[in-house]
């Protein structure tokens, strides 16, 4: 098993020695300041431009990610943590994502043109799709699309929105 998959399962540590639960426990301020955790919580099959030494999923790891229940459960928990960071929340049935009670407070942190959190959201969407969590990715995208088509179009911008939409493509580039 790779160090990344061990980490995602909750049995391993990232490059800085943190377990996944330790990252979930970071405050919103710590999540905003740190830039080396998102690549571990939401891995991709391509290298990170921001943190080049971050792990990259190979084809075999993507296959494991898609079928390992513990990893997928932890990926959903990582999504929940990041939704809280963004001030977003699931509805009671976990079918849709909308604005949470602290959205206004959190939006100040991330909803601005060129903000690095817009790129983080692209990574989150893509990682969810790679893991087969397409319902969660679709729910997040629908929420983000509502923000883009509503009062935050200028803050998000057409380029970020296009990246989010592209992140929903099935693995292998089909679709």
């Amino acid at each position: 098993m790779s160090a990344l998959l061990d980490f995602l399962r909750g049995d391993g540590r990232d490059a800085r020695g943190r377990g996944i639960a330790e990252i979930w426990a970071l405050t919103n301020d710590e999540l905003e300041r740190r830039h080396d955790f998102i690549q571990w919580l939401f891995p991709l099959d391509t290298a990170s431009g921001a943190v080049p030494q971050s792990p990259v999923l190979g084809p075999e790891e993507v296959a494991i990610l898609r079928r390992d229940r513990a990893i997928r459960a932890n990926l959903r928990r990582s999504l929940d943590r990041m939704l809280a960071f963004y001030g977003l929340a699931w509805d009671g049935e976990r079918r849709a994502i909308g604005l949470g009670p602290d959205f206004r407070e959190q939006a100040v942190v991330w909803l601005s043109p060129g903000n690095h959190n817009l790129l983080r959201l692209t990574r989150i969407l893509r990682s969810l799709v790679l893991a087969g969590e397409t319902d969660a990715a679709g729910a997040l995208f629908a929420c983000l699309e509502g923000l883009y088509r509503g009062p935050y179009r200028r803050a998000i911008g057409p380029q970020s929105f296009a990246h989010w939409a592209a992140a929903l493509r099935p693995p292998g580039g089909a679709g």
Side-chain angles (χ1 to χ4, degrees), residues 18-66:
R18 300 170 295 203
I20 196 168
E22 292 172 70
I23 294 174
W24 294 333
L26 294 173
T27 67
N28 286 342
D29 287 340
E30 290 171 318
L31 290 176
E32 174 58 21
R33 284 193 315 267
R34 296 183 185 184
H35 300 275
D36 61 352
F37 69 90
I38 200 80
Q39 298 83 0
W40 285 83
L41 290 184
F42 298 97
L44 298 179
D45 56 353
T46 56
S48 168
V51 184
Q53 68 275 22
S54 297
V56 177
L57 292 167
E60 292 173 12
E61 290 172 311
V62 171
I64 292 169
L65 186 70
R66 293 180 74 82

Side-chain angles (χ1 to χ4, degrees), residues 2 10 12 17 29 35-36 51 61 64 70 77 80 87-88 94 107-108 110 119 123 126 137 147 155 164 172:
S2 75
D29 287 340
H35 300 275
D36 61 352
V51 184
E61 290 172 311
I64 292 169
R77 187 158 175 200
D80 292 347
L88 305 174
R94 285 189 73 91
V108 173
W110 68 276
L119 292 172
R123 171 177 280 277
R126 187 67 192 149
L147 294 173
W164 294 343

Side-chain angles (χ1 to χ4, degrees), residues 6 18 20 43 69 130 149 156-157:
D6 288 343
R18 300 170 295 203
I20 196 168
R69 290 178 191 217
L130 287 172
R149 302 222 183 274
I156 293 167

Side-chain angles (χ1 to χ4, degrees), residues 1 4 6 8 16 29 34 37 53 57 78 106 129 132:
M1 190 70 44
L4 174 59
D6 288 343
L8 291 169
R16 298 201 42 147
D29 287 340
R34 296 183 185 184
F37 69 90
Q53 68 275 22
L57 292 167
S78 293
Q106 290 306 111
V129 169

Side-chain angles (χ1 to χ4, degrees), residues 80-153:
D80 292 347
R81 177 61 189 100
M82 292 308 295
L83 290 177
F85 170 79
Y86 291 117
L88 305 174
W90 286 100
D91 67 4
E93 298 168 359
R94 285 189 73 91
R95 291 190 183 160
I97 295 171
L99 306 185
D102 58 347
F103 174 75
R104 286 188 181 273
E105 177 184 326
Q106 290 306 111
V108 173
V109 174
W110 68 276
L111 265 173
S112 60
N115 189 287
H116 68 99
N117 283 292
L118 302 175
L119 292 172
R120 283 180 174 178
L121 284 160
T122 303
R123 171 177 280 277
I124 292 168
L125 288 164
R126 187 67 192 149
S127 185
L128 291 170
V129 169
L130 287 172
E133 293 289 333
T134 55
D135 288 346
L140 177 56
F141 178 78
C143 177
L144 296 172
E145 183 176 26
L147 294 173
Y148 177 70
R149 302 222 183 274
Y152 296 99
R153 181 181 208 76

